[in-house]
Amino acid sequence: MTTQRKAPDAARRNEAARRSILTAALDLAGEVGYARLSIEAIAARAGAGKQTIYRWWPSKGAVLFDALLMLAEGPTDEPADLPDTGDLEADLKTVLRATVAELNEPRYSEPMRALAIEILLDPALAADFAERLDEPMREIKRRRLRKAQRAGQIGPGVDLDVAVDLLWGPLKNRWLHREGPLTAEYADAVVETALDGLRPAAE
Amino acid sequence: MTTQRKAPDAARRNEAARRSILTAALDLAGEVGYARLSIEAIAARAGAGKQTIYRWWPSKGAVLFDALLMLAEGPTDEPADLPDTGDLEADLKTVLRATVAELNEPRYSEPMRALAIEILLDPALAADFAERLDEPMREIKRRRLRKAQRAGQIGPGVDLDVAVDLLWGPLKNRWLHREGPLTAEYADAVVETALDGLRPAAE
DNA sequence: ACTGTAATACGAGACGGTCCGTCTCGTCTA
DNA sequence: TAGACGAGACGGACCGTCTCGTATTACAGT
């Protein structure tokens, strides 16, 4: 008794169909938003049968996930490491400003928002996303902060996970909940306030 | 030509039906989660007709919103102001620990999560929520921080909106995205780190 | 290398199911 | 007597599964 009902043959997979499905998912997510995004519409737009989608992806969210991975695989791959010029504040501003720019780009932002919402609804997708993208990204951030901590630019008692939450969390919130405009100035203010703290500078 | 098709007569409203619908919504949200929460199920559970729901609420999210307001209207009403003992750090820890406790209470947390998700999908509900709950709450937080700033416990150059984001944002993120356990210790660490900043204490 | 055959992914869409939001009913109440 | 109420029928949108006939692929055996 196998748990798998069917194991589709990856060697026979139609690459053109895969690409047109992912592209259709991205386009539709950008055009109609998450609430009106349906697998039927994706299949119709892609000129694909619904079964082709269900054969290769377990859920709508998984399609979106792969679609965004395809979009991210641009010219160069692997973000590897965060910049380290020795100036922590400048480096963080560079990174967060880049994030702001990306989140203001509808081509990325709308499908990403759709994925974020789907993740809230689907624990299996959440686990997959956390393992394949979120946790690796967090480790990259943690690594940059750890170097800064060793260099004495971050206090020795600071929990680096809390530090990551403080730096990237506010941006994520503003973006997902559309709480306010996402600007480079806001990113800078977050970095400065997180680094210096709320208390006035000690004399 | 009126925009309103019908204006139901509030004076004739059945209070028992209203309460049983809101209670059913809360119970179902807690039992099956947002993904499986349907208006049909709420009506069935409440022993109400679907039309009764559609007559008084514009959307599923609006029902949840009212249900949570009903739940919050406990013994005493009006949270009014955040505590001010003069010790900003202690006061913030008190408040955030209370928030943590509330968010760990399934009776509040599950319907709240359902509402949070619905808000992401429904701009009209988002606007309503922001106006009636989120912005007033933010103003209360801002007011407490402003007092601290005047008392010299927060730097004069600090943007209080950014400060609110730094203090409450990480908690909200952990809760909504289930990124990690929501503990009093985490709340304390956020307060300490946000107040002191990431940089080592100046000598 | 060439070609025949079996396997299987593919596009298309039918199917029963759930839930949507609207619409009648007949009843009950203010 | 007007209007809210419980109940549920209705058409429509998608869901996820299934069954077609077609097209493509892997793997023979010569």
Side-chain angles (χ1 to χ4, degrees):
Chain A
M1 57 187 190
T2 54
T3 35
Q4 298 275 48
R5 291 281 165 184
K6 288 181 179 179
D9 185 349
R12 285 176 172 271
R13 183 164 191 177
N14 184 337
E15 176 64 16
R18 178 182 159 273
R19 289 183 54 86
S20 70
I21 287 168
L22 297 182
T23 302
L26 284 178
D27 291 350
L28 280 173
E31 287 171 25
V32 305
Y34 172 81
R36 277 184 258 278
L37 181 64
S38 69
I39 289 190
E40 296 217 342
I42 294 172
R45 167 77 65 107
K50 284 165 55 175
Q51 187 68 355
T52 303
I53 297 181
Y54 285 107
R55 174 149 45 229
W56 298 107
W57 291 278
S59 66
K60 183 170 64 176
V63 177
L64 271 172
F65 191 4
D66 274 8
L68 281 163
L69 288 179
M70 180 184 73
L71 197 60
E73 279 168 8
T76 55
D77 208 6
E78 297 302 309
D81 265 341
L82 261 39
D84 185 357
T85 66
D87 184 342
L88 178 63
E89 179 170 339
D91 288 348
L92 286 174
K93 285 182 177 175
T94 300
V95 171
L96 289 206
R97 277 163 175 260
T99 303
V100 163
E102 197 173 291
L103 294 180
N104 278 325
E105 177 65 46
R107 181 163 172 71
Y108 286 79
S109 181
E110 284 308 315
M112 204 106 86
R113 180 188 308 278
L115 177 61
I117 295 172
E118 191 64 43
I119 281 174
L120 293 178
L121 300 172
D122 183 347
L125 180 63
D128 195 35
F129 180 81
E131 185 191 337
R132 289 169 60 194
L133 218 85
D134 205 49
E135 185 47 44
M137 292 284 279
R138 176 172 278 265
E139 175 53 31
I140 288 172
K141 296 165 188 170
R142 230 190 269 115
R143 181 156 51 229
R144 176 64 185 87
L145 295 183
R146 198 177 295 121
K147 284 200 285 185
Q149 196 171 37
R150 289 212 187 95
Q153 295 163 336
I154 290 181
V158 171
D159 182 324
L160 295 184
D161 269 305
V162 172
V164 170
D165 289 348
L166 244 59
L167 288 164
W168 275 271
L171 234 58
K172 184 174 175 181
N173 271 331
R174 276 226 175 179
W175 167 71
L176 185 59
H177 302 283
R178 307 182 193 266
E179 281 173 353
L182 214 56
T183 63
E185 287 70 31
Y186 179 71
D188 288 356
V190 167
V191 171
E192 289 166 16
T193 310
L195 286 178
D196 291 334
L198 302 180
R199 293 196 218 271
E203 304 279 312
Chain B
M1 54 188 195
T2 53
T3 36
Q4 298 277 48
R5 291 281 165 184
K6 289 181 179 180
D9 185 348
R12 283 175 173 272
R13 185 163 190 178
N14 184 337
E15 175 64 16
R18 177 181 160 273
R19 289 184 55 86
S20 70
I21 287 168
L22 296 183
T23 303
L26 284 178
D27 291 349
L28 280 172
E31 287 171 26
V32 304
Y34 172 82
R36 278 185 257 277
L37 181 63
S38 69
I39 290 191
E40 296 218 342
I42 294 172
R45 166 77 65 109
K50 284 164 56 174
Q51 189 65 17
T52 303
I53 297 181
Y54 285 108
R55 178 154 37 232
W56 298 108
W57 292 277
S59 66
K60 182 171 63 176
V63 177
L64 271 172
F65 191 5
D66 274 8
L68 281 163
L69 288 180
M70 179 184 71
L71 197 60
E73 279 167 9
T76 56
D77 207 7
E78 297 301 310
D81 264 342
L82 261 38
D84 185 357
T85 65
D87 183 342
L88 177 63
E89 180 169 339
D91 289 348
L92 287 174
K93 285 182 177 176
T94 300
V95 171
L96 290 206
R97 278 165 175 258
T99 303
V100 162
E102 196 173 291
L103 294 180
N104 278 325
E105 177 65 46
R107 180 161 173 73
Y108 285 79
S109 182
E110 285 308 315
M112 203 105 87
R113 180 189 308 279
L115 177 60
I117 295 172
E118 192 64 42
I119 280 173
L120 293 178
L121 299 172
D122 184 346
L125 180 63
D128 195 35
F129 180 79
E131 186 191 338
R132 289 169 59 194
L133 218 87
D134 204 49
E135 186 47 43
M137 292 284 278
R138 176 172 280 263
E139 176 53 30
I140 288 172
K141 296 166 188 169
R142 229 189 270 115
R143 181 156 49 227
R144 176 63 184 89
L145 295 184
R146 197 177 297 122
K147 284 200 285 184
Q149 196 171 37
R150 290 214 185 94
Q153 294 164 336
I154 290 182
V158 170
D159 182 323
L160 294 184
D161 269 306
V162 172
V164 170
D165 289 348
L166 244 59
L167 288 164
W168 276 271
L171 234 59
K172 183 174 175 180
N173 271 331
R174 277 226 174 179
W175 167 70
L176 185 58
H177 302 284
R178 307 182 194 267
E179 281 171 354
L182 215 56
T183 62
E185 288 69 32
Y186 179 71
D188 287 357
V190 167
V191 171
E192 288 165 16
T193 311
L195 285 179
D196 290 334
L198 302 179
R199 291 197 219 274
E203 306 277 314

